[in-house]
């Protein structure tokens, strides 16, 4: 079974917990995503290593402090969900050219925050993962 992972970056906002999300500039059909979303775990790599690598490649953020929040199976794949609350203060919005393979494709990501619970719907199985992570964070 193929293993994949999601990375959820959460902060405390003025109106509650917020989730870092992005959209592909000029590609609205890609939907709203989390950095490190839909990460394929490479051979010799743990799901946690895959998330940290992918979040860095997609956002430029070298984040640590990841916690395993949930795991589930969907579409014949095993999904691992990790969450972190960065110590550094991040802006409300920014644009980023990814560092990984997406850079070769000329993609640009537009970042913003949305409420962790009840915010804008995420693409694909990311929404299911978000619900599991929101439950994990609420248990705190």
């Amino acid at each position: 079974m193929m293993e994949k992972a999601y990375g959820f970056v959460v902060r405390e906002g003025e109106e509650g917990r917020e989730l870092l999300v992005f959209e592909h500039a000029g590609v609205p059909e890609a939907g709203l995503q989390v950095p490190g979303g839909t990460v394929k775990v490479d051979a010799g790599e743990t799901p946690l290593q895959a998330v940290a690598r992918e979040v860095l490649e997609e956002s430029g953020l070298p984040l640590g402090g990841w916690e395993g929040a949930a795991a589930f199976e969907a579409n014949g794949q095993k999904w691992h969900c990790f969450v972190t609350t960065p110590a550094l203060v991040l802006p409300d919005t920014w644009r980023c050219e990814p560092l990984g393979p997406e850079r070769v494709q000329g993609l640009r990501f537009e970042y913003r925050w949305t409420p962790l619970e009840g915010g804008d719907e995420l693409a694909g199985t990311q929404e299911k993962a978000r619900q599991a992570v929101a439950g994990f964070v609420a248990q705190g």
Side-chain angles (χ1 to χ4, degrees):
M1 178 175 290
M2 181 180 289
E3 288 189 289
K4 292 197 171 186
Y6 288 126
F8 289 82
V9 180
V10 176
R11 74 175 185 183
E12 197 63 44
E14 291 180 16
E15 296 184 27
R17 291 187 179 105
E18 297 176 325
L19 175 65
L20 182 62
V21 295
F22 73 90
E23 295 174 286
H24 290 71
V27 189
E29 62 273 13
L32 192 63
Q33 300 180 34
V34 295
T38 320
V39 176
K40 180 181 176 290
V41 179
D42 292 335
E45 187 176 51
T46 67
L48 178 57
Q49 290 169 328
V51 162
R53 170 185 51 79
E54 194 72 9
V55 169
L56 176 61
E57 289 177 359
E58 290 187 356
S59 70
L61 300 173
L63 300 177
W66 294 101
E67 293 183 78
F72 62 93
E73 292 182 14
N75 305 324
Q77 299 169 334
K78 182 165 185 178
W79 296 89
H80 303 271
C81 304
F82 296 92
V83 64
T84 189
T85 302
L88 58 131
V89 176
L90 298 173
D92 289 335
T93 63
W94 76 91
R95 287 185 171 189
C96 178
E97 289 186 15
L99 306 173
E102 294 91 350
R103 183 180 194 121
V104 175
Q105 300 170 22
L107 295 178
R108 287 187 2 170
F109 299 151
E110 297 175 341
Y111 282 90
R112 64 182 173 87
W113 299 88
T114 190
L116 176 61
E117 295 185 68
D120 301 317
E121 187 169 337
L122 301 178
T125 56
Q126 291 184 48
E127 186 60 33
K128 179 178 181 176
R130 171 204 212 151
Q131 300 308 317
V133 168
F136 173 83
V137 170
Q139 292 175 6

